[in-house]
Amino acid sequence: MNARKKVGVLISGRGSNLAALIEACRGDDYPAEIAIVISNRPGAEGLELASAAGIAAIIIDHKASANREIFESRIGDALVKAGVELVCCAGFMRLLTESFVASWHDRILNIHPSLLPSYRGLDPHERVLRDGGRISGCSVHFMRAEMDSGPIVAQAAVPVLSDDTPDRLAARVLKAEHMIYPLALKLVAGGRVQVLEERVVFKDHETATPPLISPWPCDQDMCARTALEGNHPHQCRD
Ligand code: GRF
């Protein structure tokens, strides 16, 4: 296997996406390894996860830097010193400046809990529920200077249920985040992704997956599987 790409993960809190990435990096054939975890918040729980996994974990507190440029130059220096080639923002709650993002162009990934380009920014689950959406989800994308924008590498669609609260929907979406972030990093670190005209193009074969329909109509008259796959014996009711 080629050398694994060295990854720096930026966090601000809980670190459950970081945990999913750490777990993925344990795989023998996984093309990335986490070289450093940086938190802008001293108490971030993710710092302990990283240390427990034997990964260098440091705090660069934005409040201890006189301005954004100084804060970001400290982050940049730490990443370079650790030999980082790819950066993953995983619940990192600071907006990065245009010049920082440009200096890591197509080498910074971010995860956002909505189906981008819809619901950029804060509180996406509240807004999805308010708007009555039936399907939400999450996206991993290359970062650009505008918040939650940039070429999309991977997305997962998640059904919205009638009795959802923002927290319940967030928990369902989070499970999907833990699947797609390791997948997206695998594709990018493995060199299988190209950005062409601000769209992600895959260098190898892509497989079409079935649509996610919510609610899933599986009664005799309106069976989604019948519509999608031809005759279906309606076992989906059981
Ligand atoms: C995730 O929902 C992520 O998409 C968003 O912030 C949350 C971070 O969660 N940007 P965690 O720290 O990875 O558990």
Side-chain angles (χ1 to χ4, degrees), residues 25-137:
C25 288
R26 293 203 168 108
D28 286 341
D29 296 331
Y30 200 77
E33 64 181 309
I34 301 175
I36 190 165
V37 171
I38 302 174
S39 170
N40 69 303
R41 217 171 50 80
E45 300 90 319
L47 286 167
E48 281 179 26
L49 286 175
S51 302
I55 299 166
I58 63 167
I59 299 158
I60 298 180
D61 187 348
H62 60 283
K63 290 186 190 150
S65 302
N67 57 44
R68 274 171 97 190
E69 284 69 26
I70 294 174
F71 169 60
E72 290 181 356
S73 77
R74 293 179 66 201
I75 291 180
D77 290 349
L79 292 171
V80 170
K81 199 169 152 211
V84 165
E85 298 157 278
L86 279 173
V87 179
C88 289
C89 293
F92 182 65
M93 301 305 282
R94 304 300 299 172
L95 260 187
L96 293 164
T97 60
E98 198 167 344
S99 85
F100 184 91
V101 174
S103 66
W104 290 90
H105 189 75
D106 287 352
R107 294 185 302 149
I108 280 208
L109 293 169
N110 181 45
I111 186 155
H112 182 70
S114 78
L115 285 177
L116 293 174
S118 297
Y119 300 105
R120 290 175 171 147
L122 294 174
D123 303 327
H125 308 300
E126 279 85 343
R127 290 183 283 137
V128 165
L129 292 174
R130 207 179 304 136
D131 290 346
R134 300 281 352 169
I135 293 177
S136 189

Side-chain angles (χ1 to χ4, degrees), residues 11-19 45-46 49 89-93 110-114 124-125 138-139 148 170 173-174 177-178 181:
I11 61 165
S12 298
R14 180 178 56 185
S16 69
N17 278 291
L18 166 66
E45 300 90 319
L49 286 175
C89 293
F92 182 65
M93 301 305 282
N110 181 45
I111 186 155
H112 182 70
S114 78
H125 308 300
C138 47
S139 311
D148 300 324
V173 170
L174 192 65
E177 293 183 43
H178 298 161
Y181 216 167

Side-chain angles (χ1 to χ4, degrees), residues 10 46 64 77 97 132 135 139 154-155 176 194-195 200 215:
L10 305 187
D77 290 349
T97 60
I135 293 177
S139 311
Q155 292 187 305
Q194 244 179 321
V195 179
V200 164

Side-chain angles (χ1 to χ4, degrees), residues 109-112 114-116 138-142 151-157 179-185 187-188 193 200 202:
L109 293 169
N110 181 45
I111 186 155
H112 182 70
S114 78
L115 285 177
L116 293 174
C138 47
S139 311
V140 178
H141 62 97
F142 284 107
I152 294 166
V153 182
Q155 292 187 305
M179 291 189 244
I180 64 164
Y181 216 167
L183 169 69
L185 178 59
L187 293 169
V188 173
V193 162
V200 164
F202 293 96

